[in-house]
Amino acid sequence: MKHYGQACAIARALDVVGERWNLLLVRELTLGPRRYRDLATGLPGIPSNVLAARLKDLQACGVITQHTLPAPTDVTVYELTEAGRALQPALKELLDWGLRYGPEPSPGDAAQPGWALLAAAGRPTALPDGQTCELRVGPEFFYLGSDAGKLTVRRGPAPDGDAVVTMSADTFYSLLTGQTTVTGAVRHSTVDGEPGIARRALEPLAAAGSRPVM
């Protein structure tokens, strides 16, 4: 890892997370633990040797850790430590800055549902605590819940969810970019369970990924 050699807290933070791919690795773990191959999929364009090196560096700095899930799974996953989770407010600020001031995506840029959902996480929600919704977009599953009136998002299914929403990627991105409403998204999706809970869970997603009005 490269170092700035400056006795400044900002420079020392960047010594850890300023290396190319490091913050995006933290982004990939924000919604929950992931396997190595999932991280490689979530970081299109990263060489395998660079991914391995970045994981090693971030573990050495105490930002992430790895462990093996108990049987019968027996797979190794990476997850954020307390220090890694403490970076989430900074990521949220970068996300907001990118929406407001960053360049528009170029044609052909990669897009993944998990990245888009980060813009909705933490938004106000009418979903009561204890009620959950499973959102399925293509092969990916997400758990939508609430904590003190704020939307929570995690990767994976919601086994005891009150509603399950299955939507196409086109409908999902149209909802996130404000090109369609929650009503329109629900109309073009399959909803199992409580429709009212599904709507409340989806409301924070509406236009969450659109550029704010300057």
Side-chain angles (χ1 to χ4, degrees), residues 39-51:
L39 291 172
T41 300
L43 295 168
I46 188 171
S48 182
N49 64 317
V50 173
L51 175 56

Side-chain angles (χ1 to χ4, degrees), residues 93-116:
E93 291 295 327
L94 281 172
L95 188 155
D96 292 343
W97 189 95
L99 286 175
R100 185 175 294 275
Y101 301 109
E104 293 289 347
S106 300
D109 279 356
Q112 297 187 13
W115 305 344

